Structures are given as structure tokens and as C-alpha cells.
Amino acid sequence: MKTVLITGANRSIGLETAKQLSEKGLFVYLGTRDLAKGEEVVKELNAKGFQNIQAIQIDVTDAESVLAAKNIIEKEKGKLDILINNAGILGDIPQNPSTTSIEDIQRVFDTNFFGAITVTQTFIELLKKSDSPRISNITSGLGSLTLHSDPTWKYFAIKGISYVSSKTALNAFTVTLAHELKDLAFKVNSIDPGYTATDFNHHSGPGSVESAASFIIKHTLVDKNGPTGKFFSNDIEDESEESPW
């Protein structure tokens, strides 16, 4: 049974991803900052028939919390097969580049960028013990500088400095990490679940959490011949589903 850790998984897309992976027979560590809330979610899932899901406390902005989670998984499973860096925050709105505070930008980067790096670096040795390690960095189409430079792009007007730049930076982490691990069995990709109706955006997105989670899983559970160092987006309508950087 493969083991997966999903950060920020006690609600919305992360939670739905946990449910779908559980149904596929994977053991899921449901990462949550508040362990009591995470355990309550798991209890509700168990009552609905979901198995192989365990809440684990992890705050991606707290290195000690991340290390503690790593030690638990190492003791219980000995390795980690899949890491889904899903935890993310939007930051204060509006996010005009000329007026948004450095403190807000830093706060968003602490979770969306530095948090993902902290988790990845902490768990990398456990991932190396897997026969088919996978790292999926959950990003956004808003992280694409190419699309942001195209006036015809449907989200061209959305230019929030904190969130947009944090996801662009996360994409850069994907590219560099995939290159570093290219000679190993790793597959490292950025995955944009698309503009999804969640608490994150006051349910303004047109996509469903079910579609978003299915898309993440599709591009995470790739075989040994699958791509690495790519940027996939549920909002890209051609067959490749690949977004420009």
C-alpha cells in the first residue's frame, strides 16, 4: 500500500484528494494544522466508509511541526511514496503591487513557497526510500508569467502580488527540484487544479472539488515513464493539459 502525505488536507480540494486516494487504496496522512479538527474530519470520513486515512498535525510554516510529522510517518511506515504540497493561503485582498505590505507578501510566501520547500526538504529522505516517489506542488494558473503577459487570457486582470508571485516562485522550485532529481525515480510536477469553488475564493470558481482532486491525482499517480518538471493545469483545454510557465 502506497503512502501519501497531503498538507492542508482537512477541507476543500485537499480533503477531496484524500478521499479519492483512499478509495484508490492508498494510505493517506491528512495533514492539518489543528490535529483535533483533523481527527474530527477523519472520524466523519470513517463513518462514511472511507478507510486508510489518518490525521497528522503539520504546520508548514513551523519547521519543528514538519519534523515531528516526518518522525511519525518514519516510525509508522518507514517511507513516504507521495508528497502533495497542497497547503496554501491567499493573503489579504486587494494585493496591489505598489501598496501591499511586505509583511503580507512574506506571510503568503511563508506558506505557499517556503512551507512547501520546508516540507519537501524534511521528507526527501523518506521519499527516496520509495520505489516510485512523487512530489506534486499544487500551484495556480496565476503563477504563469506567460499567461499573465497575454491580454487575451481570461484571468489576465488578476494580478495580486502576494499570491501570484508565491505561485510563480513555487513553480520555479518545481523546475529546479525536478532537475536535481532527474536521474532518480522521482516525478516532480506543478499541478493547477483550476479555478475551483472553495472556501478559499468564497466559492466563486466554476470548477468542482471533485474535478480538481481528480486532476491532481491524474498527474500525480504517473508511471515510471511519466513526465517530470512540468506544469499541468485543469484550465488548459488542449489534450496536453500543460500550462506555459
Side-chain angles (χ1 to χ4, degrees):
M1 181 182 293
K2 290 185 180 297
T3 299
V4 55
L5 168 64
I6 309 172
T7 63
N10 62 306
R11 62 177 183 165
S12 299
I13 295 173
L15 175 57
E16 180 62 27
T17 303
K19 290 163 62 176
Q20 292 188 23
L21 286 172
S22 171
E23 289 179 324
K24 290 181 177 293
L26 282 75
F27 187 94
V28 180
Y29 281 102
L30 186 148
T32 175
R33 286 184 299 174
D34 187 322
L35 184 58
K37 289 182 179 179
E39 289 177 337
E40 184 63 28
V41 168
V42 171
K43 183 178 179 180
E44 293 172 1
L45 292 176
N46 290 160
K48 295 177 180 178
F50 291 96
Q51 302 297 319
N52 306 322
I53 301 180
Q54 178 179 324
I56 190 167
Q57 197 280 327
I58 183 168
D59 180 344
V60 303
T61 67
D62 182 342
E64 291 186 3
S65 166
V66 176
L67 181 59
K70 178 256 186 183
N71 290 338
I72 290 171
I73 295 177
E74 184 172 28
K75 181 179 179 180
E76 295 181 351
K77 300 296 182 182
K79 66 180 177 67
L80 183 66
D81 297 290
I82 300 166
L83 170 61
I84 299 179
N85 284 312
N86 173 71
I89 62 173
L90 178 60
D92 295 338
I93 297 296
Q95 293 180 7
N96 298 318
S98 64
T99 57
T100 299
S101 71
I102 291 297
E103 289 77 15
D104 185 67
I105 296 172
Q106 289 175 331
R107 183 168 62 88
V108 174
F109 265 74
D110 280 344
T111 297
N112 296 2
F113 180 58
F114 296 116
I117 294 176
T118 298
V119 174
T120 302
Q121 291 183 346
T122 301
F123 279 88
I124 196 73
E125 292 305 319
L126 288 188
L127 286 159
K128 286 181 178 179
K129 294 179 181 180
S130 171
D131 293 333
S132 54
R134 303 289 181 262
I135 299 174
S136 292
N137 293 323
I138 307 308
T139 187
S140 169
L142 294 174
S144 169
L145 295 181
T146 299
L147 293 178
H148 271 296
S149 302
D150 179 2
T152 68
W153 184 44
K154 58 185 175 180
Y155 301 125
F156 178 75
I158 303 175
K159 294 285 195 286
I161 182 62
S162 305
Y163 185 75
V164 166
S165 58
S166 74
K167 290 303 186 179
T168 302
L170 181 64
N171 288 345
F173 178 57
T174 294
V175 169
T176 54
L177 182 65
H179 181 76
E180 177 188 350
L181 301 174
K182 67 183 187 305
D183 295 327
L184 302 178
F186 280 82
K187 303 297 180 185
V188 183
N189 292 293
S190 281
I191 304 175
D192 164 32
Y195 189 14
T196 305
T198 66
D199 295 341
F200 192 83
N201 54 42
H202 306 290
H203 295 269
S204 62
S208 68
V209 291
E210 291 81 9
S211 172
S214 177
F215 188 82
I216 290 171
I217 292 169
K218 173 184 177 180
H219 290 288
T220 296
L221 300 183
V222 294
D223 63 24
K224 64 180 181 180
N225 297 315
T228 190
K230 299 295 184 180
F231 179 6
F232 297 102
S233 174
N234 208 9
D235 284 331
I236 297 295
E237 297 178 355
D238 65 42
E239 292 184 0
S240 74
E241 297 179 326
E242 189 172 341
S243 174
W245 297 104

